[in-house]
Every structure is written in structure tokens, then in C-alpha cells.
Amino acid sequence: MLRHIISILIENESGALSRVAGLFSARGYNIESLTVAPTEDPSLSRMTILTSGSDEVLEQITKQLNKLVDVVKVVDLSEAAHVERELMLIKVRATGKDREEMKRMADIFRGRIIDVTESTYVIELTGASSKL
Amino acid sequence: MMISGAEIVIRCLQEEKVDCVFGYPGGSVLHIYDALFKQDQVKHILVRHEQAAVHAADAYSRSSQRVGVALVTSGPGVTNTVTGIATAYMDSIPMVVLTGQVPSFYIGQDAFQECDTVGITRPCVKHNFLVKDVKDLAVTIKKAFHIASTGRPGPVVVDIPKDITAQMCEFDYPKTIQMRSYNPVVKGHLGQIKKAVQILQEAKRPVIYTGGGVILSDAAEQLTKLAHKLNFPVTNTLMGLGGYPATDKQFIGMLGMHGTFEANNAMHFADVILAIGARFDDRVIGNPEHFGEEKRRVIHIDIDPSSISKRVKVDVPIVGNVPDVLEEIIKLMDGGFKTDPEVANWWKQIDEWRGRDSLRYKQSEHIMPQFVMEKLYEVTGGNAFITSDVGQHQMFAAQYYKFDKPRRWINSGGLGTMGVGLPYGMGVLMANPDAQVACVTGEGSIQMCIQELSTCKQYGFPIKIINLNNGMLGMVRQWQEMFYSKRYSQSYVTSLPDFVKLAEAYGHVGMKIEKPEDVEPALRKAFTEHKDDLVFMDFIIDPGANVFPMVAAGKGLTEMILAEDL
Ligand SMILES: Cc1ncc(C[n+]2csc(CCOP(=O)(O)OP(=O)(O)O)c2C)c(N)n1
Ligand SMILES: [Mg+2]
């Protein structure tokens, strides 16, 4: 059961997401995480799906995705050299003496405080998922 | 010139050379029905239930090389079509279903007769569209026909809100269509084809195993030519019947759950399988572990890459249009090909298996369903289109009617939908007006779309309904007899109607046949004297007749139960 990151270029039509999500649930494939956004060409969307399965299952996932009429391109990013980063935004309660401690922690892990209220911080962190 | 969206729909159908649509009107398609009324190029067949409209459109496709079209209203009109769409989807039938939708400005507000058509049908269509702008209407319909009929075919739904059908727009029908996201492969990879020919040359125990893909791609001619050149045995799946002439001596029958002894053994013990337009499904190979015990090489030709290595590991995958790939193989063989001399011994083995005569059955004082099928074959000279429902009668028809031509055997293989038989007959007759059509059915199945007897009266469809009446949901009963210690839970049909009177009430001819000696005369009478009538033939058959051979669920292909074992 290997972890794979599948990147899908798909026509940016309403319902595109449900076609992909529906395919995964109908055929019993895993979705661990999923992101979608329009590309620099706004008529296309990029979907990035984190999934897992045996080689046979992965072969079927790619073939079935390619079969969707709206799908332009499917790439299994895990097959080649690639960079993985995750971004995290956390809102934390920061009052009293914790407030100072919070700030130090964020600095140590090279996190950035990007929003401040009297009682909270919003901290931004990026890195490999193990670090986060 | 500006025309309305409704007129655009009709013009598109005319451009696609659609000569008929099967449908049922309602609020959201009233504009379209009005446009339909004002012309006579596209004929409309008014069914009695939307499910039947889709089944009929499906059979129109199956029995011709054209795309069937259905037209229904929103909400319940759409939900009634779902069984029909799923049936076509499972058997990869090209079809376009036009559905009305509530006006676009009401969508999402639970309007009267609103349903999420695109959402409900998504898992059982090749693709679907919601038209949001009248300017997109023509090009969307063009895409629908293109997608339905190319690559691995399938049903496409176009959902059209009512306001769009009222808006005015210029009509411009694209001649061709380019889609960056949809470009099915057609030409097989030459390197792979060469590899395949090499393996075919080395084969000592070969079998050619073909399915619905041969029918859908119109490859019967190329298949026959190739098989004759190779002198290999040929077996067909339920969906593939007619793809290779059943009366040819190289034909070893249907394979699978109710396949012949020789076909199932040949498939299991083959050292090379040439699979063409077939998908190794569970009803065909039985238990995959058992099937995997033999070492063999598999060559698989299919238009759909996802069908390859899905259930059985394939050694030489060839993605492409079947007839083109077969032509390519034949061309390479012409350059010098020798079938291995060992194949002669393989044929000896096959003939020995054939000697078991696994389709033999015992006559009884009752009418045997197998006997009715044999007589139906004789009386129609093997030339009829046979539509069938789902159950024992379906298997008897598949086993005993010898199909020599493609597109003559019309049944629901993948979904196994009871109720298709009668509407399938209507679709066949719209595509082939002069054809002889028999609908082989059971008293259970026929009642699932019985209302279409009325449609048949309206349009004069002279279908011969062969009702193999065992008073039972026979296929269910057979499993209960064999695997549930004869606990016949809910498989006995009581309070059956008098089918003769029922047929007469609809204005048709009814016949009840109870004795074996009456079978042939009754069939002759139906096909001659009542050639132009719908005849409902109620054959009261032996209620205990079972379908053999049988590979029980979970068993291996060679672990067949034969009639002679019992
Ligand atoms: C719509 C639908 N419901 C249920 C089934 C399950 N099923 C398969 S065969 C069968 C019995 C069919 O009975 P009948 O039409 O009388 O045919 P017979 O087997 O007796 O020849 C049933 C209930 C089905 N295939 N389709
Ligand atoms: Mg029955």
C-alpha cells in the first residue's frame, strides 16, 4: 500500500470535482486529501489527490481518471522526483504568559505570525508533513 | 435566422440524421414537443413509461449502427429513466438522453419537478451536461453524439432547462468537434501487434475469447476471417453472441456461468488466450484464483485501456479499435504465418469435450423451454432478432438459438435488467422495420414493462412474445433449489394474469400453448398467419427445468455442474 500523489488537469466545469470524487467512492479507492484550484488558464482546474493502494489499484485509478471525459491529463507525481510541501494556518489562543512562549515556539520552527488580536495569534507554517 | 432553443434541439437531431426518438412529454419539455410537432423528419414514439423509452432507444442502437435517442421531462421523467441508462452504460451502448429541467433561474430551489439530473445520472453515464446558455445548446448536443458513439461507447445525458428552450439564438451546427480532454485511441500499437502475432504462432492450446466489443465495433467480419486463418476455437460471452457465426465448426459455444463444457474447459486450459472486446468479468471466468492456477499468456485487444489488466493480468495489451487491429494482425499473418501443429491435438481434446454434449436435456410430458428455443430457431430460420429479458429463459435463448450474425441478440448482460425485452423489441423494429422480432421472456420479467403492449398497439409493432411461463422466478428458484436446500423464498409467482386475455385486452393476439406437440404449429402460425400482429405466446413450461451447465458463484470455470450429474 504505497502513498501516491496524483495530479489531475481537468476542465473547470461545475461538477468536475464531483465526477472525480464520485469515481473514487464508486470504485472504492482512497482519498486521503484533495485540493482543487483553477490554473493560470482559468478554463482548467488542477486537482491534487493524495491516495494509496497497490500497483494494480494505482494503475486502475489512473486509467479510470483518464477515462473521465473532462480530464485533460493525469500524472502520478510520486513516480518521479518531486517536492512535497504542506502549508498550515493555525489560530491559537494566546493570552498571559503563553503569549510570549507562543511567539518563541513559532520562531524556533520558522513559523510566522501573520495575524494578531488581543487574545489570539494566527501562525503560518510550511514544510514536509512530518514536521507539521 | 434566430430560432428558439427548442427548435435548435430538433434541428440538431435532424443534422444527426436521427429518424426517431422515444419519449414522454411533460412540463419542462413542452417547448421541445411543440417544435417536434411542427416537423415530420424526426418521428416520435410515445411510450407508456420513461424506462421503456430508454430501453427502446438502447435497443435501437444495439440492433443498428446508429445512436438511439430518448426524450423525457424533468423530475419523475428523469428518475424513471435511470434503470434504462444504467442498463445501457453497463453494456457500453451509445445513446443520447435529452432531459427537460426546470427553468435555470429555479434550479436549486426545490422547484416543482426539479431533480439533480446531472448528479443522479453521473455514476451511470459516459458523460452528462447541463446546458446553461442557449448559445451552447447546439455544440453540447454535437458533443453528446460524439462522445456517445466514439471510443468505448456509452450513454450521454443532456439536461436542458425550460427557459433555454424558449430563448432565441442563431443555429450553427458544428460539422466536427475537437475536445482537448477527450481523444480516444483508435490505432493499435504496431509493436504490440507484432508481439501478439508471434505468440499466436507459438500457441499450442489457443482460444479466441470475444465479447460485446466485437459487436459494438462491427468487427464480426474481421474476426471470422482471422479465426479461419488461425484455425483456433472461438468462444463468445453472452454479450458477444453473433460476433462469430454460431453454426461455424470452430465455434465452441458461449462460455461462463452457463457456458458449454467445451468452452469453459478450453478457456481454462488454453496456453494462449486472444481476448477481443471482452472484459474477463466474474460471470465469465468464475473464481479468479481458480482461473489463475493455470499458466497462460493473454493478448487483450480493447478500445478501453481500463478494461485491460483489470481482473486478469494481461501479457500483451493492445488498445485500439478492434476491426483495425484485427486487420493489422491479418496483414502481418499474410507475410507468413504457421499455426503450430500441436493445435491439431488441441482440437482432438476439444472434440472430446464436445462429445459430452453438455446442452443435452431430457424431454418430459411438459414443454421443455430448451425445446421451444430450438423450434423458435427452426421456424425463424435463425434470422430473427431475439430480444430477451433476464432469467432462465435468457440463458436458454443464449444457449439454443444459434446466432450467425451480429446485432441480432439483444439483451441486458451487464446490469441484468428484468423488463427490457418488450421495449427492446420496439427499438429493434424502429431501426429494422421489416425484421422478424421475438421477445423471449418469463412471466416475471414481462410484467416489469407490460404497459408497453399499449405502445405496440399504437405503432403496430408485430413482436412475437415467447413467454416461457414456469410460474416461477425461475432463476431465483434454481439457486434456491441448489444452494438454499429448496427454501423457495418469494420465488413463486401466484395470481398471474390470464396472458391471452391480457393480450386481447390490449388489442393483440394471445395464444396459450401447453403441449409439446403444439409448440411448432403455434410458432408457425404466429410467424405466418399473424406475421403482422403482436402475438403473445404463453408457453406453459416444465416448472422444474434448470439451466445447465452451471458454474456456481465462487467456483472455478471447470467445476461445472452438468445436467447429467443430477
Ligand atoms: C429488475 C430486476 N429485479 C430482480 C432481478 C433478479 N432476478 C434475476 S432473474 C429473476 C427471475 C426472473 O423470472 P422470470 O422472468 O419469470 O424468468 P425465469 O427465470 O423464470 O425464466 C430475478 C428476480 C433482476 N435481474 N432484475
Ligand atoms: Mg418464470
Side-chain angles (χ1 to χ4, degrees):
Chain A
M1 289 287 274
L2 274 174
R3 210 169 140 273
H4 290 258
I5 304 169
I6 313 249
S7 170
I8 306 163
L9 198 60
I10 188 167
E11 293 289 347
N12 187 6
E13 304 271 348
S14 62
L17 175 60
S18 65
R19 285 184 209 280
V20 173
L23 188 150
F24 273 74
S25 67
R27 295 195 181 261
Y29 308 143
N30 262 337
I31 297 186
E32 267 158 47
S33 77
L34 179 153
T35 55
V36 202
T39 64
E40 66 282 7
D41 169 355
S43 69
L44 289 170
S45 288
R46 167 81 60 195
M47 253 180 233
T48 312
I49 295 182
L50 183 61
T51 182
S52 60
S54 62
D55 287 353
E56 291 79 43
V57 169
L58 256 294
E59 182 180 336
Q60 270 298 313
I61 291 179
T62 0
K63 283 174 167 180
Q64 294 291 349
L65 283 169
N66 268 310
K67 222 165 98 175
L68 291 178
V69 167
D70 278 344
V71 167
V72 179
K73 198 163 185 219
V74 179
V75 193
D76 185 346
L77 294 178
S78 334
E79 276 176 352
H82 64 282
V83 182
E84 261 179 64
R85 301 292 277 178
E86 271 179 37
L87 164 74
M88 206 182 221
L89 292 175
I90 6 173
K91 184 172 191 179
V92 289
R93 208 177 145 74
T95 49
K97 62 178 185 339
D98 286 347
R99 201 167 164 94
E100 207 23 55
E101 177 65 13
M102 240 26 117
K103 166 111 181 43
R104 261 205 312 276
M105 290 281 276
D107 288 344
I108 292 169
F109 289 101
R110 266 172 290 153
R112 294 197 304 142
I113 295 173
I114 54 171
D115 191 50
V116 180
T117 70
E118 262 168 35
S119 58
T120 63
Y121 283 149
V122 174
I123 306 173
E124 180 190 289
L125 275 167
T126 56
S129 37
S130 53
K131 171 181 157 188
L132 300 181
Chain B
M1 197 183 73
M2 305 276 271
I3 59 175
S4 72
E7 283 164 323
I8 289 177
V9 171
I10 302 301
R11 287 287 296 278
C12 291
L13 295 179
Q14 292 170 346
E15 291 283 338
E16 289 293 333
K17 312 261 185 308
V18 173
D19 59 0
C20 77
V21 301
F22 302 88
Y24 208 84
S28 66
V29 283
L30 281 174
H31 296 316
I32 300 180
Y33 271 83
D34 193 46
L36 198 61
F37 187 83
K38 295 178 190 153
Q39 55 88 54
D40 51 16
Q41 212 170 315
V42 182
K43 200 173 166 197
H44 181 270
I45 302 296
L46 178 69
V47 294
R48 300 298 181 265
H49 185 297
E50 288 90 349
Q51 180 185 348
V54 180
H55 288 328
D58 166 351
Y60 180 97
S61 294
R62 289 180 199 246
S63 64
S64 69
Q65 297 174 17
R66 286 165 285 159
V67 178
V69 180
L71 169 62
V72 300
T73 194
S74 64
V78 168
T79 54
N80 272 349
T81 64
V82 172
T83 299
I85 296 172
T87 302
Y89 180 65
M90 284 295 273
D91 290 341
S92 308
I93 305 303
M95 181 164 77
V96 171
V97 180
L98 304 172
T99 58
Q101 182 55 281
V102 300
S104 47
F105 43 85
Y106 283 158
I107 290 179
Q109 302 181 14
D110 300 321
F112 178 63
Q113 295 193 328
E114 176 180 357
C115 73
D116 176 8
T117 300
V118 165
I120 288 174
T121 60
R122 199 201 65 237
C124 57
V125 292
K126 182 168 173 186
H127 198 58
N128 56 18
F129 295 96
L130 169 64
V131 181
K132 290 179 178 155
D133 187 329
V134 69
K135 290 201 279 303
D136 299 334
L137 186 53
V139 67
T140 305
I141 294 177
K142 177 78 195 178
K143 278 185 189 169
F145 277 90
H146 174 66
I147 293 168
S149 58
T150 52
R152 179 177 180 171
V156 178
V157 168
V158 183
D159 198 26
I160 313 172
K162 185 170 184 178
D163 54 324
I164 304 276
T165 61
Q167 287 162 17
M168 304 297 282
C169 184
E170 271 320 317
F171 176 66
D172 182 17
Y173 200 65
K175 285 263 168 320
T176 55
I177 202 102
Q178 281 295 328
M179 294 173 69
R180 61 181 167 185
S181 63
Y182 176 74
N183 295 293
V185 174
V186 283
K187 223 173 137 16
H189 188 277
L190 193 59
Q192 293 292 83
I193 297 177
K194 281 190 180 143
K195 240 193 258 172
V197 173
Q198 185 53 40
I199 291 177
L200 293 174
Q201 192 146 243
E202 290 159 11
K204 296 181 169 51
R205 299 187 310 279
V207 69
I208 304 177
Y209 146 65
T210 81
V214 167
I215 314 274
L216 289 165
S217 65
D218 294 303
E221 199 189 311
Q222 289 84 349
L223 171 64
T224 309
K225 198 165 149 198
L226 175 67
H228 284 164
K229 272 179 108 65
L230 288 164
N231 187 33
F232 289 178
V234 183
T235 178
N236 290 160
T237 66
L238 179 71
M239 291 311 295
L241 293 174
Y244 189 80
T247 53
D248 185 280
K249 66 177 190 326
Q250 281 169 240
F251 187 63
I252 56 172
M254 179 171 80
L255 84 167
M257 182 170 269
H258 294 297
T260 64
F261 189 69
E262 52 271 33
N264 284 346
N265 274 301
M267 182 76 171
H268 188 80
F269 292 111
D271 69 341
V272 170
I273 294 176
L274 174 58
I276 311 175
R279 55 188 177 95
F280 293 93
D281 84 87
D282 52 303
R283 287 298 193 253
V284 162
I285 60 164
N287 183 332
E289 265 101 62
H290 180 272
F291 187 68
E293 282 167 13
E294 290 296 315
K295 267 180 75 110
R296 57 174 84 82
R297 286 187 288 178
V298 178
I299 304 164
H300 193 170
I301 308 171
D302 206 289
I303 189 83
D304 176 10
S306 74
S307 282
I308 296 178
S309 289
K310 184 169 70 179
R311 291 181 38 83
V312 166
K313 191 96 196 85
V314 168
D315 301 280
V316 185
I318 305 175
V319 177
N321 189 30
V322 171
D324 298 337
V325 175
L326 298 188
E327 292 282 7
E328 210 57 68
I329 295 180
I330 292 168
K331 218 161 68 195
L332 285 177
M333 284 175 66
D334 286 340
F337 182 93
K338 261 202 144 93
T339 296
D340 193 288
E342 282 280 315
V343 173
N345 289 331
W346 176 234
W347 269 116
K348 269 191 210 129
Q349 170 67 70
I350 287 173
D351 284 336
E352 201 183 307
W353 287 328
R354 262 183 180 158
R356 291 286 282 272
D357 195 7
S358 61
L359 293 181
R360 198 174 35 188
Y361 63 93
K362 280 203 202 78
Q363 298 290 358
S364 77
E365 81 243 77
H366 299 291
I367 297 175
M368 293 304 283
Q370 299 93 327
F371 177 71
V372 181
M373 289 303 100
E374 288 174 335
K375 289 296 159 195
L376 178 65
Y377 177 73
E378 270 174 49
V379 168
T380 56
N383 276 320
F385 286 76
I386 306 293
T387 74
S388 132
D389 268 305
V390 173
Q392 290 183 316
H393 59 271
Q394 175 191 25
M395 293 301 131
F396 290 132
Q399 291 176 327
Y400 293 89
Y401 199 96
K402 300 194 249 324
F403 294 94
D404 277 345
K405 294 190 194 125
R407 299 189 183 275
R408 295 292 169 100
W409 167 237
I410 314 290
N411 85 131
S412 162
L415 199 66
T417 309
M418 289 169 68
V420 294
L422 184 55
Y424 271 1
M426 308 185 327
V428 169
L429 278 162
M430 284 312 290
N432 310 269
D434 303 319
Q436 275 186 329
V437 180
C439 162
V440 176
T441 183
E443 78 301 320
S445 295
I446 192 66
Q447 292 191 81
M448 285 213 179
C449 274
I450 192 88
Q451 75 286 344
E452 297 309 314
L453 284 174
S454 172
T455 311
C456 291
K457 185 65 193 169
Q458 182 173 350
Y459 299 97
F461 292 132
I463 301 165
K464 307 298 177 269
I465 297 174
I466 314 291
N467 188 34
L468 298 180
N469 187 343
N470 49 13
M472 312 264 183
L473 302 176
M475 189 55 96
V476 174
R477 200 221 74 237
Q478 174 167 348
W479 283 58
Q480 291 172 336
E481 178 185 331
M482 296 171 69
F483 314 118
Y484 294 88
S485 310
K486 306 195 178 182
R487 287 186 300 278
Y488 296 127
S489 179
Q490 306 297 320
S491 54
Y492 180 65
V493 186
T494 52
S495 321
L496 286 174
D498 178 333
F499 285 111
V500 172
K501 278 196 193 143
L502 183 75
E504 286 168 1
Y506 276 106
H508 300 301
V509 179
M511 293 181 184
K512 184 169 182 171
I513 304 100
E514 294 178 275
K515 291 201 265 345
E517 62 270 25
D518 295 339
V519 169
E520 188 176 337
L523 283 168
R524 291 213 182 278
K525 189 167 170 191
F527 280 98
T528 52
E529 205 175 301
H530 293 296
K531 186 170 162 291
D532 299 325
D533 300 319
L534 183 149
V535 186
F536 195 115
M537 310 186 73
D538 191 20
F539 290 93
I540 309 303
I541 61 162
D542 190 325
N546 281 337
V547 186
F548 293 112
M550 177 168 188
V551 179
K555 291 286 183 188
L557 255 192
T558 54
E559 302 171 320
M560 278 166 276
I561 306 166
L562 298 179
E564 65 186 38
D565 298 337
L566 302 168

